[in-house]
PDB file of all heavy atoms in Angstrom:
ATOM      1  N   ILE A 139      96.616  95.344  77.632  1.00 98.00           N
ATOM      2  CA  ILE A 139      97.451  96.646  77.715  1.00 98.00           C
ATOM      3  C   ILE A 139      98.879  96.082  77.792  1.00 98.00           C
ATOM      4  O   ILE A 139      99.072  95.386  78.814  1.00 98.00           O
ATOM      5  CB  ILE A 139      96.987  97.424  78.934  1.00 98.00           C
ATOM      6  CG1 ILE A 139      95.585  97.891  78.822  1.00 98.00           C
ATOM      7  CG2 ILE A 139      98.040  98.595  79.044  1.00 98.00           C
ATOM      8  CD1 ILE A 139      95.014  98.463  80.141  1.00 98.00           C
ATOM      9  N   LYS A 140      99.702  96.552  77.015  1.00 97.00           N
ATOM     10  CA  LYS A 140     101.011  95.958  77.102  1.00 97.00           C
ATOM     11  C   LYS A 140     102.055  97.145  76.752  1.00 97.00           C
ATOM     12  O   LYS A 140     101.850  98.014  76.065  1.00 97.00           O
ATOM     13  CB  LYS A 140     101.277  94.847  76.110  1.00 97.00           C
ATOM     14  CG  LYS A 140     101.071  95.050  74.662  1.00 97.00           C
ATOM     15  CD  LYS A 140     101.278  93.818  73.804  1.00 97.00           C
ATOM     16  CE  LYS A 140     101.103  94.221  72.323  1.00 97.00           C
ATOM     17  NZ  LYS A 140     101.415  93.076  71.475  1.00 97.00           N
ATOM     18  N   THR A 141     103.232  97.062  77.421  1.00 97.00           N
ATOM     19  CA  THR A 141     104.192  98.072  77.324  1.00 97.00           C
ATOM     20  C   THR A 141     105.431  97.497  76.636  1.00 97.00           C
ATOM     21  O   THR A 141     105.659  96.288  76.564  1.00 97.00           O
ATOM     22  CB  THR A 141     104.617  98.588  78.675  1.00 97.00           C
ATOM     23  OG1 THR A 141     105.252  97.566  79.380  1.00 97.00           O
ATOM     24  CG2 THR A 141     103.447  99.057  79.485  1.00 97.00           C
ATOM     25  N   ASP A 142     106.357  98.338  76.194  1.00 96.00           N
ATOM     26  CA  ASP A 142     107.609  97.949  75.745  1.00 96.00           C
ATOM     27  C   ASP A 142     108.538  97.223  76.635  1.00 96.00           C
ATOM     28  O   ASP A 142     109.506  96.525  76.292  1.00 96.00           O
ATOM     29  CB  ASP A 142     108.509  99.173  75.088  1.00 96.00           C
ATOM     30  CG  ASP A 142     108.845 100.258  76.168  1.00 96.00           C
ATOM     31  OD1 ASP A 142     108.035 100.235  77.169  1.00 96.00           O
ATOM     32  OD2 ASP A 142     109.666 101.009  75.753  1.00 96.00           O
ATOM     33  N   PHE A 143     108.312  97.412  78.126  1.00 94.00           N
ATOM     34  CA  PHE A 143     109.089  96.562  79.025  1.00 94.00           C
ATOM     35  C   PHE A 143     108.429  95.383  79.452  1.00 94.00           C
ATOM     36  O   PHE A 143     108.732  94.815  80.515  1.00 94.00           O
ATOM     37  CB  PHE A 143     109.503  97.516  80.205  1.00 94.00           C
ATOM     38  CG  PHE A 143     108.380  98.213  81.005  1.00 94.00           C
ATOM     39  CD1 PHE A 143     107.788  97.488  82.023  1.00 94.00           C
ATOM     40  CD2 PHE A 143     107.761  99.395  80.620  1.00 94.00           C
ATOM     41  CE1 PHE A 143     106.729  98.031  82.795  1.00 94.00           C
ATOM     42  CE2 PHE A 143     106.766  99.980  81.304  1.00 94.00           C
ATOM     43  CZ  PHE A 143     106.198  99.302  82.479  1.00 94.00           C
ATOM     44  N   LYS A 144     107.538  94.894  78.676  1.00 94.00           N
ATOM     45  CA  LYS A 144     106.830  93.619  78.810  1.00 94.00           C
ATOM     46  C   LYS A 144     105.912  93.417  79.964  1.00 94.00           C
ATOM     47  O   LYS A 144     105.532  92.401  80.398  1.00 94.00           O
ATOM     48  CB  LYS A 144     107.957  92.458  78.884  1.00 94.00           C
ATOM     49  CG  LYS A 144     108.766  92.448  77.692  1.00 94.00           C
ATOM     50  CD  LYS A 144     109.794  91.334  77.711  1.00 94.00           C
ATOM     51  CE  LYS A 144     110.653  91.373  76.528  1.00 94.00           C
ATOM     52  NZ  LYS A 144     111.868  90.556  76.588  1.00 94.00           N
ATOM     53  N   LEU A 145     105.304  94.495  80.543  1.00 97.00           N
ATOM     54  CA  LEU A 145     104.149  94.531  81.371  1.00 97.00           C
ATOM     55  C   LEU A 145     103.002  94.255  80.555  1.00 97.00           C
ATOM     56  O   LEU A 145     102.734  94.779  79.476  1.00 97.00           O
ATOM     57  CB  LEU A 145     104.087  95.861  81.953  1.00 97.00           C
ATOM     58  CG  LEU A 145     102.708  96.079  82.863  1.00 97.00           C
ATOM     59  CD1 LEU A 145     102.625  95.167  83.971  1.00 97.00           C
ATOM     60  CD2 LEU A 145     102.550  97.605  83.255  1.00 97.00           C
ATOM     61  N   LYS A 146     102.204  93.392  80.979  1.00 97.00           N
ATOM     62  CA  LYS A 146     100.926  93.103  80.327  1.00 97.00           C
ATOM     63  C   LYS A 146      99.715  92.886  81.336  1.00 97.00           C
ATOM     64  O   LYS A 146      99.866  92.353  82.379  1.00 97.00           O
ATOM     65  CB  LYS A 146     100.951  91.653  79.613  1.00 97.00           C
ATOM     66  CG  LYS A 146     101.891  91.649  78.324  1.00 97.00           C
ATOM     67  CD  LYS A 146     101.896  90.341  77.750  1.00 97.00           C
ATOM     68  CE  LYS A 146     102.759  90.259  76.517  1.00 97.00           C
ATOM     69  NZ  LYS A 146     102.743  89.012  75.903  1.00 97.00           N
ATOM     70  N   VAL A 147      98.640  93.575  80.908  1.00 98.00           N
ATOM     71  CA  VAL A 147      97.412  93.553  81.822  1.00 98.00           C
ATOM     72  C   VAL A 147      96.263  93.071  80.823  1.00 98.00           C
ATOM     73  O   VAL A 147      96.109  93.782  79.900  1.00 98.00           O
ATOM     74  CB  VAL A 147      97.171  94.990  82.407  1.00 98.00           C
ATOM     75  CG1 VAL A 147      95.895  94.962  83.264  1.00 98.00           C
ATOM     76  CG2 VAL A 147      98.426  95.454  83.254  1.00 98.00           C
ATOM     77  N   LEU A 148      95.660  92.110  81.300  1.00 98.00           N
ATOM     78  CA  LEU A 148      94.386  91.613  80.643  1.00 98.00           C
ATOM     79  C   LEU A 148      93.240  91.689  81.648  1.00 98.00           C
ATOM     80  O   LEU A 148      93.288  91.340  82.754  1.00 98.00           O
ATOM     81  CB  LEU A 148      94.460  90.182  80.330  1.00 98.00           C
ATOM     82  CG  LEU A 148      95.539  89.905  79.138  1.00 98.00           C
ATOM     83  CD1 LEU A 148      96.499  88.850  79.386  1.00 98.00           C
ATOM     84  CD2 LEU A 148      94.735  89.423  77.955  1.00 98.00           C
ATOM     85  N   TYR A 149      92.169  92.400  80.992  1.00 97.00           N
ATOM     86  CA  TYR A 149      90.938  92.397  81.783  1.00 97.00           C
ATOM     87  C   TYR A 149      89.650  92.114  80.862  1.00 97.00           C
ATOM     88  O   TYR A 149      89.592  92.596  79.672  1.00 97.00           O
ATOM     89  CB  TYR A 149      90.707  93.884  82.375  1.00 97.00           C
ATOM     90  CG  TYR A 149      89.543  94.204  83.114  1.00 97.00           C
ATOM     91  CD1 TYR A 149      89.147  93.303  84.190  1.00 97.00           C
ATOM     92  CD2 TYR A 149      88.631  95.238  82.803  1.00 97.00           C
ATOM     93  CE1 TYR A 149      87.866  93.617  84.910  1.00 97.00           C
ATOM     94  CE2 TYR A 149      87.527  95.526  83.434  1.00 97.00           C
ATOM     95  CZ  TYR A 149      87.050  94.719  84.423  1.00 97.00           C
ATOM     96  OH  TYR A 149      85.933  94.960  85.093  1.00 97.00           O
ATOM     97  N   ASP A 150      88.850  91.222  81.330  1.00 96.00           N
ATOM     98  CA  ASP A 150      87.774  90.797  80.455  1.00 96.00           C
ATOM     99  C   ASP A 150      86.446  91.643  80.459  1.00 96.00           C
ATOM    100  O   ASP A 150      85.473  91.114  80.066  1.00 96.00           O
ATOM    101  CB  ASP A 150      87.407  89.258  80.791  1.00 96.00           C
ATOM    102  CG  ASP A 150      86.807  89.202  82.221  1.00 96.00           C
ATOM    103  OD1 ASP A 150      86.579  90.257  82.967  1.00 96.00           O
ATOM    104  OD2 ASP A 150      86.342  88.045  82.483  1.00 96.00           O
ATOM    105  N   TRP A 151      86.703  92.813  80.886  1.00 94.00           N
ATOM    106  CA  TRP A 151      85.536  93.766  80.974  1.00 94.00           C
ATOM    107  C   TRP A 151      84.506  93.261  81.931  1.00 94.00           C
ATOM    108  O   TRP A 151      83.268  93.631  81.758  1.00 94.00           O
ATOM    109  CB  TRP A 151      84.859  94.098  79.583  1.00 94.00           C
ATOM    110  CG  TRP A 151      85.616  95.100  78.841  1.00 94.00           C
ATOM    111  CD1 TRP A 151      85.789  96.491  79.111  1.00 94.00           C
ATOM    112  CD2 TRP A 151      86.363  94.922  77.605  1.00 94.00           C
ATOM    113  NE1 TRP A 151      86.608  97.099  78.234  1.00 94.00           N
ATOM    114  CE2 TRP A 151      86.894  96.159  77.276  1.00 94.00           C
ATOM    115  CE3 TRP A 151      86.620  93.808  76.951  1.00 94.00           C
ATOM    116  CZ2 TRP A 151      87.648  96.311  76.075  1.00 94.00           C
ATOM    117  CZ3 TRP A 151      87.381  93.920  75.652  1.00 94.00           C
ATOM    118  CH2 TRP A 151      87.852  95.197  75.356  1.00 94.00           C
ATOM    119  N   ASP A 152      84.850  92.307  82.763  1.00 91.00           N
ATOM    120  CA  ASP A 152      83.779  91.739  83.763  1.00 91.00           C
ATOM    121  C   ASP A 152      84.386  91.525  85.118  1.00 91.00           C
ATOM    122  O   ASP A 152      84.132  92.376  85.943  1.00 91.00           O
ATOM    123  CB  ASP A 152      83.281  90.493  83.288  1.00 91.00           C
ATOM    124  CG  ASP A 152      82.094  89.904  84.042  1.00 91.00           C
ATOM    125  OD1 ASP A 152      81.434  90.534  84.698  1.00 91.00           O
ATOM    126  OD2 ASP A 152      81.880  88.674  83.931  1.00 91.00           O
ATOM    127  N   ASP A 153      85.022  90.382  85.325  1.00 89.00           N
ATOM    128  CA  ASP A 153      85.464  90.133  86.760  1.00 89.00           C
ATOM    129  C   ASP A 153      86.748  89.338  86.820  1.00 89.00           C
ATOM    130  O   ASP A 153      87.230  88.755  87.898  1.00 89.00           O
ATOM    131  CB  ASP A 153      84.389  89.314  87.489  1.00 89.00           C
ATOM    132  CG  ASP A 153      84.282  87.878  87.029  1.00 89.00           C
ATOM    133  OD1 ASP A 153      84.918  87.624  85.967  1.00 89.00           O
ATOM    134  OD2 ASP A 153      83.682  87.058  87.613  1.00 89.00           O
ATOM    135  N   HIS A 154      87.708  89.342  85.708  1.00 94.00           N
ATOM    136  CA  HIS A 154      88.968  88.742  85.720  1.00 94.00           C
ATOM    137  C   HIS A 154      90.006  89.628  85.262  1.00 94.00           C
ATOM    138  O   HIS A 154      89.950  89.974  83.995  1.00 94.00           O
ATOM    139  CB  HIS A 154      88.838  87.382  84.812  1.00 94.00           C
ATOM    140  CG  HIS A 154      89.940  86.507  84.854  1.00 94.00           C
ATOM    141  ND1 HIS A 154      90.179  85.728  86.084  1.00 94.00           N
ATOM    142  CD2 HIS A 154      90.973  86.369  84.046  1.00 94.00           C
ATOM    143  CE1 HIS A 154      91.293  85.102  85.806  1.00 94.00           C
ATOM    144  NE2 HIS A 154      91.813  85.464  84.629  1.00 94.00           N
ATOM    145  N   VAL A 155      91.120  89.865  86.000  1.00 96.00           N
ATOM    146  CA  VAL A 155      92.159  90.664  85.634  1.00 96.00           C
ATOM    147  C   VAL A 155      93.413  89.862  85.896  1.00 96.00           C
ATOM    148  O   VAL A 155      93.571  89.174  86.866  1.00 96.00           O
ATOM    149  CB  VAL A 155      92.221  92.105  86.331  1.00 96.00           C
ATOM    150  CG1 VAL A 155      92.303  91.828  87.839  1.00 96.00           C
ATOM    151  CG2 VAL A 155      93.309  92.940  85.823  1.00 96.00           C
ATOM    152  N   VAL A 156      94.325  89.927  84.916  1.00 97.00           N
ATOM    153  CA  VAL A 156      95.609  89.255  84.851  1.00 97.00           C
ATOM    154  C   VAL A 156      96.816  90.279  84.780  1.00 97.00           C
ATOM    155  O   VAL A 156      96.629  91.117  83.808  1.00 97.00           O
ATOM    156  CB  VAL A 156      95.750  88.060  83.911  1.00 97.00           C
ATOM    157  CG1 VAL A 156      97.113  87.540  83.825  1.00 97.00           C
ATOM    158  CG2 VAL A 156      94.669  87.142  84.117  1.00 97.00           C
ATOM    159  N   VAL A 157      97.837  90.203  85.584  1.00 97.00           N
ATOM    160  CA  VAL A 157      98.926  91.114  85.394  1.00 97.00           C
ATOM    161  C   VAL A 157     100.183  90.228  85.217  1.00 97.00           C
ATOM    162  O   VAL A 157     100.387  89.249  85.967  1.00 97.00           O
ATOM    163  CB  VAL A 157      99.168  91.946  86.616  1.00 97.00           C
ATOM    164  CG1 VAL A 157     100.494  92.811  86.443  1.00 97.00           C
ATOM    165  CG2 VAL A 157      97.910  92.890  86.954  1.00 97.00           C
ATOM    166  N   LYS A 158     100.953  90.517  84.131  1.00 97.00           N
ATOM    167  CA  LYS A 158     102.191  89.672  83.927  1.00 97.00           C
ATOM    168  C   LYS A 158     103.233  90.782  83.844  1.00 97.00           C
ATOM    169  O   LYS A 158     103.233  91.831  83.250  1.00 97.00           O
ATOM    170  CB  LYS A 158     102.200  88.913  82.548  1.00 97.00           C
ATOM    171  CG  LYS A 158     100.996  87.905  82.582  1.00 97.00           C
ATOM    172  CD  LYS A 158     101.059  87.191  81.079  1.00 97.00           C
ATOM    173  CE  LYS A 158     100.002  86.099  81.171  1.00 97.00           C
ATOM    174  NZ  LYS A 158     100.666  84.776  81.558  1.00 97.00           N
ATOM    175  N   LEU A 159     104.363  90.298  84.587  1.00 95.00           N
ATOM    176  CA  LEU A 159     105.488  91.293  84.833  1.00 95.00           C
ATOM    177  C   LEU A 159     106.827  90.514  84.632  1.00 95.00           C
ATOM    178  O   LEU A 159     106.974  89.464  85.176  1.00 95.00           O
ATOM    179  CB  LEU A 159     105.348  91.828  86.136  1.00 95.00           C
ATOM    180  CG  LEU A 159     106.134  93.036  86.518  1.00 95.00           C
ATOM    181  CD1 LEU A 159     105.756  94.260  85.716  1.00 95.00           C
ATOM    182  CD2 LEU A 159     105.815  93.497  87.972  1.00 95.00           C
ATOM    183  N   PRO A 160     107.823  90.953  83.982  1.00 93.00           N
ATOM    184  CA  PRO A 160     109.098  90.323  83.751  1.00 93.00           C
ATOM    185  C   PRO A 160     109.889  90.326  85.080  1.00 93.00           C
ATOM    186  O   PRO A 160     109.648  91.176  85.916  1.00 93.00           O
ATOM    187  CB  PRO A 160     109.786  91.192  82.670  1.00 93.00           C
ATOM    188  CG  PRO A 160     109.083  92.538  82.774  1.00 93.00           C
ATOM    189  CD  PRO A 160     107.767  92.328  83.083  1.00 93.00           C
ATOM    190  N   SER A 161     110.752  89.370  85.169  1.00 87.00           N
ATOM    191  CA  SER A 161     111.622  89.210  86.440  1.00 87.00           C
ATOM    192  C   SER A 161     112.388  90.303  86.707  1.00 87.00           C
ATOM    193  O   SER A 161     112.897  90.427  87.934  1.00 87.00           O
ATOM    194  CB  SER A 161     112.311  87.976  86.198  1.00 87.00           C
ATOM    195  OG  SER A 161     113.223  88.005  85.118  1.00 87.00           O
ATOM    196  N   THR A 162     112.741  91.185  85.757  1.00 88.00           N
ATOM    197  CA  THR A 162     113.492  92.365  86.188  1.00 88.00           C
ATOM    198  C   THR A 162     112.810  93.299  87.231  1.00 88.00           C
ATOM    199  O   THR A 162     113.495  94.049  87.884  1.00 88.00           O
ATOM    200  CB  THR A 162     113.705  93.282  84.862  1.00 88.00           C
ATOM    201  OG1 THR A 162     112.474  93.531  84.354  1.00 88.00           O
ATOM    202  CG2 THR A 162     114.525  92.664  83.799  1.00 88.00           C
ATOM    203  N   PHE A 163     111.445  93.104  87.506  1.00 92.00           N
ATOM    204  CA  PHE A 163     110.918  93.917  88.490  1.00 92.00           C
ATOM    205  C   PHE A 163     110.809  93.110  89.929  1.00 92.00           C
ATOM    206  O   PHE A 163     110.305  93.583  90.827  1.00 92.00           O
ATOM    207  CB  PHE A 163     109.494  94.316  88.060  1.00 92.00           C
ATOM    208  CG  PHE A 163     109.440  95.306  87.084  1.00 92.00           C
ATOM    209  CD1 PHE A 163     109.633  95.109  85.764  1.00 92.00           C
ATOM    210  CD2 PHE A 163     109.428  96.792  87.443  1.00 92.00           C
ATOM    211  CE1 PHE A 163     109.550  96.077  84.762  1.00 92.00           C
ATOM    212  CE2 PHE A 163     109.388  97.675  86.524  1.00 92.00           C
ATOM    213  CZ  PHE A 163     109.519  97.288  85.179  1.00 92.00           C
ATOM    214  N   SER A 164     111.333  91.937  89.848  1.00 89.00           N
ATOM    215  CA  SER A 164     111.232  91.118  91.187  1.00 89.00           C
ATOM    216  C   SER A 164     111.973  91.975  92.314  1.00 89.00           C
ATOM    217  O   SER A 164     113.059  92.501  92.221  1.00 89.00           O
ATOM    218  CB  SER A 164     112.084  89.861  90.919  1.00 89.00           C
ATOM    219  OG  SER A 164     112.059  89.035  92.055  1.00 89.00           O
ATOM    220  N   GLY A 165     111.141  91.920  93.385  1.00 89.00           N
ATOM    221  CA  GLY A 165     111.673  92.647  94.529  1.00 89.00           C
ATOM    222  C   GLY A 165     111.455  94.285  94.492  1.00 89.00           C
ATOM    223  O   GLY A 165     111.949  94.876  95.475  1.00 89.00           O
ATOM    224  N   LYS A 166     110.914  94.711  93.386  1.00 92.00           N
ATOM    225  CA  LYS A 166     110.915  96.055  93.277  1.00 92.00           C
ATOM    226  C   LYS A 166     109.411  96.692  93.161  1.00 92.00           C
ATOM    227  O   LYS A 166     109.234  97.879  92.878  1.00 92.00           O
ATOM    228  CB  LYS A 166     111.610  96.604  91.924  1.00 92.00           C
ATOM    229  CG  LYS A 166     112.973  96.268  91.987  1.00 92.00           C
ATOM    230  CD  LYS A 166     113.752  96.651  90.819  1.00 92.00           C
ATOM    231  CE  LYS A 166     115.322  96.598  90.814  1.00 92.00           C
ATOM    232  NZ  LYS A 166     116.084  95.671  91.707  1.00 92.00           N
ATOM    233  N   VAL A 167     108.451  95.712  93.268  1.00 95.00           N
ATOM    234  CA  VAL A 167     106.960  96.067  93.276  1.00 95.00           C
ATOM    235  C   VAL A 167     106.307  95.850  94.609  1.00 95.00           C
ATOM    236  O   VAL A 167     106.822  94.991  95.361  1.00 95.00           O
ATOM    237  CB  VAL A 167     106.283  95.438  92.101  1.00 95.00           C
ATOM    238  CG1 VAL A 167     106.822  95.930  90.731  1.00 95.00           C
ATOM    239  CG2 VAL A 167     106.221  93.868  92.195  1.00 95.00           C
TER     240      VAL A 167
END
Protein backbone atom coordinates (compact mmCIF):
# COMPACT_ATOMS: atom_id res chain seq x y z
CA ILE A 1 0.00 0.00 0.00
CA LYS A 2 1.66 3.24 -1.06
CA THR A 3 0.66 6.88 -1.11
CA ASP A 4 1.75 9.94 -3.05
CA PHE A 5 3.47 11.23 0.13
CA LYS A 6 5.75 8.15 0.21
CA LEU A 7 4.09 6.17 2.99
CA LYS A 8 4.53 2.46 2.27
CA VAL A 9 2.97 -0.46 4.09
CA LEU A 10 3.90 -4.06 3.25
CA TYR A 11 2.08 -7.05 4.75
CA ASP A 12 2.76 -10.66 3.76
CA TRP A 13 -0.80 -11.86 4.48
CA ASP A 14 0.65 -13.80 7.41
CA ASP A 15 2.75 -12.37 10.24
CA HIS A 16 5.12 -9.69 8.94
CA VAL A 17 4.25 -6.01 8.47
CA VAL A 18 6.63 -3.20 7.48
CA VAL A 19 5.87 0.55 7.56
CA LYS A 20 8.12 3.04 5.74
CA LEU A 21 7.65 6.76 6.30
CA PRO A 22 9.56 9.78 4.94
CA SER A 23 11.49 12.03 7.32
CA THR A 24 8.95 14.84 6.83
CA PHE A 25 6.85 12.99 9.45
CA SER A 26 9.64 12.85 12.04
CA GLY A 27 8.28 13.98 15.41
CA LYS A 28 4.72 14.13 14.07
CA VAL A 29 3.60 10.49 14.50
